[in-house]
Amino acid sequence: MTPKQMRITALAGGVGGARFVRGLLHELRAVRGDQETEVVVVGNTGDDITLFGLRICPDLDTILYTLGGGIDERQGWGRAEETHAVQAELAELGAQPQWFGLGDRDFATHIARSQWLGQGQTLSQVTARLAERWGLPGQGVRLLPATDTPIETHVVLDEAGADGSDAGERAVHFQQWWVQLQAAVPARRFTVAGLGQAVPAPGVLEALRTSDVILLPPSNPVVSIGIILGVPGVRDALRGSRAPVVGVSPIIGGAPVRGHADACLSAMEVEVSARGVAGLYADFLDGWLVDEADTGTVQTPRLQTRALDLRMRDEAGAARIAGAALDLAAELSVQRSA
Ligand code: FO1
């Protein structure tokens, strides 16, 4: 009787999520010699944007490029060895916008995805084809969009009148806030167009129901993990899962490791801390990794916390953190079966 194949599901956003999953695979395959366990990654699609007539899925692409070895390591997004001839010509043509950096190799991904979507393929089918190109099946990894329903996160900002009076509010696409505005303009709130009608992509609920471990990487809890949790059915599946759910705090000592999670949490009036983020996941979280700087700050009944260095300086660091998450999940499983 071959031992039942283990399955791990991770809900991932962009850079932090992708680096964590790369570390998880290193820990499983290289450190623990486990070539069997399947890793399912449920990717955030709220960042998706249509530019120049092309559908761009930043978080899915960041996971594909990072796991496939094509990522620009310094930026954490986009392709390595990129050129920007197309973007330069678009600028000559006066095509807008120019604030979102798109390289030539990256454009090929968006052209292929847009062609296949235009032929009626679902985002899941398109993502599976892109995953083939990046060798994910050979690593025992399945990348699923959170939903095939087009959704987009928009950010509601204060609209100051010319004389500084409160002229109401306006909404911009998440990418415009994140990239062009550098999240420097305070967000009043986030809205996700299409989320109410969104359906989990094929395999997402099944993965959550059948996994032995569910992991929440240190992705942005509001605009990455939060969006995945907002897809109808996903949060209930996490609440009802028999698998331990273990998360990694994206906040160390009151500040995000990268990105603008602090601006996102403040918009939600959530404390920018490991404790604040744990509170957002309180209805389904079983285990929580916090940085040593935050030891003892999370005193939530039923929630088991462990403190360690949460800086993912390199793949080995990410593997160490992923290993700690797996170890905590194993402890929780033993407690459950006891
Ligand atoms: N982030 C930036 O800060 N500036 C950019 O010009 C930019 C372009 C870009 C293009 C493709 C892509 O997949 C990601 C890109 N990102 C850029 C990152 C992106 O905004 C974030 O990865 C996520 O949307 C938030 O996690």
Side-chain angles (χ1 to χ4, degrees):
M1 165 73 167
T2 54
K4 171 192 165 309
Q5 186 187 28
M6 284 272 289
R7 175 181 282 175
I8 297 171
T9 294
L11 307 186
V15 182
R19 286 176 173 165
F20 176 85
V21 172
R22 183 172 61 184
L24 171 67
L25 288 166
H26 181 81
E27 176 66 16
L28 286 170
R29 310 298 187 227
V31 175
R32 302 186 179 202
D34 173 346
Q35 311 309 326
E36 301 308 313
T37 296
E38 184 192 33
V39 175
V40 177
V41 182
V42 178
N44 170 44
T45 55
D47 291 4
D48 296 2
I49 185 168
T50 298
L51 293 177
F52 311 110
L54 300 173
R55 193 65 179 159
I56 298 166
C57 302
D59 281 355
L60 297 180
D61 293 347
T62 296
I63 291 161
L64 289 165
Y65 296 163
T66 300
L67 300 189
I71 195 74
D72 177 316
E73 201 61 52
R74 186 187 56 79
Q75 284 179 165
W77 50 267
R79 285 290 306 277
E81 286 104 50
E82 255 305 9
T83 52
H84 292 81
V86 173
Q87 179 141 45
E89 190 53 31
L90 285 168
E92 291 298 324
L93 292 164
Q96 290 302 326
Q98 282 297 319
W99 46 263
F100 198 70
L102 288 166
D104 299 326
R105 290 178 173 81
D106 199 28
F107 261 116
T109 301
H110 313 319
I111 292 166
R113 174 163 42 228
S114 303
Q115 179 188 41
W116 297 332
L117 288 172
Q119 291 165 349
Q121 293 187 42
T122 64
L123 183 57
S124 291
Q125 291 167 324
V126 168
T127 304
R129 285 182 73 166
L130 296 173
E132 285 282 341
R133 181 262 183 268
W134 289 104
L136 269 60
Q139 299 181 48
V141 178
R142 260 190 313 140
L143 173 58
L144 306 177
T147 174
D148 284 341
T149 314
I151 58 173
E152 286 189 4
T153 302
H154 293 159
V155 186
V156 179
L157 309 172
D158 297 337
E159 179 69 297
D163 57 359
S165 61
D166 178 354
E169 50 189 38
R170 68 184 170 108
V172 297
H173 189 285
F174 168 76
Q175 292 296 351
Q176 186 170 0
W177 181 67
W178 188 266
V179 175
Q180 190 187 37
L181 304 179
Q182 296 289 309
V185 178
R188 270 196 181 172
R189 65 182 183 283
F190 299 94
T191 63
V192 187
L195 193 57
Q197 298 73 33
V199 175
V204 168
L205 295 183
E206 192 253 346
L208 293 172
R209 268 198 296 272
T210 61
S211 282
D212 302 280
V213 177
I214 297 172
L215 299 176
L216 271 63
S219 292
N220 187 307
V222 177
V223 291
S224 295
I225 304 269
I227 303 303
I228 299 171
L229 296 174
V231 175
V234 170
R235 199 172 194 117
D236 289 341
L238 279 164
R239 285 194 188 118
S241 75
R242 60 175 181 75
V245 181
V246 175
V248 182
S249 175
I251 305 291
I252 294 180
V257 177
R258 58 172 284 118
H260 315 295
D262 46 350
C264 299
L265 289 164
S266 305
M268 308 263 294
E269 294 175 354
V270 170
E271 182 186 80
V272 180
S273 67
R275 178 176 53 222
V277 178
L280 288 177
Y281 302 151
D283 53 326
F284 60 77
L285 195 65
D286 301 308
W288 189 233
L289 299 189
V290 302
D291 189 81
E292 292 148 338
D294 300 309
T295 305
T297 60
V298 184
Q299 306 290 348
T300 310
R302 204 184 61 80
L303 179 63
Q304 302 241 355
T305 59
R306 297 287 180 276
L308 69 157
D309 176 2
L310 284 191
R311 299 252 173 229
M312 286 193 295
R313 293 173 185 78
D314 52 18
E315 190 166 326
R320 175 180 53 80
I321 296 165
L326 293 176
D327 292 346
L328 179 49
E331 285 178 52
L332 289 162
S333 295
V334 166
Q335 288 171 20
R336 287 179 167 211
S337 55

